[in-house]
Amino acid sequence: MTSPLRLGIAGLGTVGTGVVKIVQNHADLLATRSGRPITITAVSARSKSKDRGVDLSNYAWEDDPVALAKRKDVDVFVELMGGSEGPAKAATEAALAAGKDVVSANKALLAIHGQALAEAAESGGQVIRFEAAVAGGIPVVKALTEGLAGNDILRIMGVMNGSCNYILTRMEDAGLSYQEVFDEANNLGYLEADPELDVGGIDAGHKLALLASIAFGTQVNFDAVDLEGIGSVTIEDIHQAADMGYKIKLLGVAQMSGRGLEQRMAPCLVPDTSPLGQLAGGTNMVVLEGDSVGQIVLRGAGAGEGPTASAVMGDVLDIARGFRLSTFGQPASGLRAARAAHSAIPAPYYLRLQLVDKPGALAKVAKILGEAGISIHRMRQYDHTDDTAPVLIVTHKTTRTALSEAIAAFADTDVVDGTPVALRIEEV
Ligand code: NAP
Ligand code: HSE
């Protein structure tokens, strides 16, 4: 058996302790599979005295993750601290500069600095692997970079934030408002320390940007993700979408067209019978579409100690086996700076408006939609409350621009009360 692969682990929280457990509990299995022992040399976290439920006594301790990253007895720097800046960035850069390979679960760091880090890795002959950064335990990075490498990737879709899917599912199941379920999830510790990362779609947007880079051979560009969180999803929309045969999901979609690279992370309607529609609770799902393979659906735990550590160890084993893949699946120097699509590919939309109950009201709405070139596919009016009634319209394919024009024109009539809700219906 050849020399051990020596890990330096920075971050001993949920994921870091999970990695330590796998290295300790599966030592024989890891050595057999990779042909060499996998060992931990040194670790780092903020508090040396914290009881983490794992035995760290055989590992050197470093207060400073940058010092850990530069240690001569570390081959692979495993970054499990988090954050796009600060120690995670400094230590990752230091590791690459010192000639270490890097394994990271840090989607924020890679979504923002991925191109520069990939170029730095490549210039020194190192690799950066980040399976755990996207959809936790689901091996979607491997699927895209390896199994589907022979495909022209047509579209990526996914529910990639378990907390948001939990909130939306729980709202529907319990008939609770967004705020009630948000408070409940926060009290249960389901949300990030900054909950806006989850409910604002930022965490999921980071993941989508990483997958888009691999799929379309483009430089990772989180700033170009069209982001909308779930904070404005109401229980009324969840119920009424269900009545029309849909579920509301925080759905990420990336596709390349003549319009440029489209990256969207926003609440969308999907058919309730589709795999995405049936995804309940905190589970993740990623749907990949390739020209030869057709559609692939990957589903599993997107977070948590075991699933995320499992993904980290998959990357570690690849390095131990001598498998050296470029960060985004192709040389970083060849990744294109994609033109961001200025408008989304047309789609059907769900439109909910509060219609004033008087003669000709519906005709006025229909006329405005017609003038905007929007065709009505289905429509339903619900019971009146006072002197208005909720009306749901499912349109044929249209653009968001045309819909926004129509919504603006509604405001000039005396028949639409308040601001209508418009949600894209994704064809999945
Ligand atoms: P966590 O439980 O908050 O742990 C973070 C760890 O980093 C802690 O051990 C902390 O030390 C350490 N740390 C923070 N700042 C540090 C510093 N300046 N110097 C040294 N150590 C420092 O986080 P986590 O959930 O394990 O997440 C780690 C990474 O994995 C993040 O990038 C996250 O986005 C990603 N990820 C997490 C999950 C998940 O399910 N949790 C899933 C996918 C990806 P102390 O313990 O001493 O405070
Ligand atoms: N906060 C994320 C989620 C887990 O809820 O899916 C870490 O990626």
Side-chain angles (χ1 to χ4, degrees), residues 335-384:
L335 293 164
R336 290 174 296 129
R339 180 169 56 90
H342 289 299
S343 61
I345 290 170
Y349 276 81
Y350 157 103
L351 184 63
R352 177 167 68 85
L353 44 92
Q354 204 67 23
L355 198 64
V356 176
D357 186 16
K358 61 180 182 187
L362 202 50
K364 282 191 185 175
V365 165
K367 183 165 180 283
I368 288 172
L369 289 173
E371 283 169 355
I374 299 169
S375 175
I376 296 173
H377 174 52
R378 288 196 283 155
M379 207 183 71
R380 193 168 288 176
Q381 179 171 320
Y382 290 85
D383 282 348
H384 294 62

Side-chain angles (χ1 to χ4, degrees), residues 104-336:
S104 176
N106 190 338
K107 57 254 165 182
L109 175 72
L110 287 156
I112 291 165
H113 301 293
Q115 180 65 25
L117 291 171
E119 286 174 13
E122 235 161 74
S123 68
Q126 284 85 49
V127 298
I128 303 175
R129 302 295 301 266
F130 60 87
E131 184 69 74
V134 184
I138 303 177
V140 59
V141 173
K142 256 187 177 300
L144 266 179
T145 49
E146 297 175 46
L148 302 181
N151 283 258
D152 186 11
I153 300 297
L154 306 174
R155 184 168 65 155
I156 297 170
M157 289 183 288
V159 168
M160 293 182 257
N161 183 277
S163 308
C164 288
N165 205 50
Y166 167 82
I167 290 174
L168 295 172
T169 311
R170 173 101 177 113
M171 283 170 72
E172 178 167 16
D173 291 348
L176 295 171
S177 71
Y178 169 77
Q179 195 57 51
E180 286 170 305
V181 179
F182 173 91
D183 292 343
E184 191 181 275
N186 210 12
N187 291 336
L188 287 167
Y190 289 178
L191 299 176
E192 301 272 347
D194 173 5
E196 190 55 24
L197 289 173
D198 285 320
V199 298
I202 299 163
D203 166 83
H206 287 149
K207 297 167 183 169
L208 183 72
L210 291 170
L211 291 187
S213 170
I214 301 169
F216 304 113
T218 53
Q219 295 181 5
V220 59
N221 187 358
F222 169 68
D223 287 342
V225 179
D226 195 0
L227 266 191
E228 188 187 327
I230 62 167
S232 56
V233 176
T234 65
I235 184 65
E236 288 78 19
D237 285 316
I238 288 179
H239 283 152
Q240 282 159 358
D243 203 27
M244 300 290 259
Y246 297 105
K247 301 275 184 192
I248 299 182
K249 298 286 170 196
L250 178 68
L251 189 70
V253 181
Q255 63 193 123
M256 185 70 87
S257 72
R259 295 161 185 260
L261 176 61
E262 200 177 310
Q263 302 181 88
R264 286 182 275 115
M265 182 59 67
C268 285
L269 272 63
V270 295
D272 57 9
T273 51
S274 64
L276 283 162
Q278 302 213 331
L279 188 73
T283 310
N284 281 200
M285 182 176 284
V286 187
V287 179
L288 306 171
E289 293 172 353
D291 62 344
S292 298
V293 75
Q295 192 179 73
I296 302 267
V297 178
L298 301 170
R299 173 196 170 121
E305 178 186 304
T308 314
S310 156
V312 170
M313 289 311 297
D315 284 343
V316 167
L317 255 71
D318 269 354
I319 292 171
R321 288 163 165 154
F323 178 51
R324 302 186 72 72
L325 187 68
S326 302
T327 311
F328 294 102
Q330 66 178 70
S333 52
L335 293 164
R336 290 174 296 129

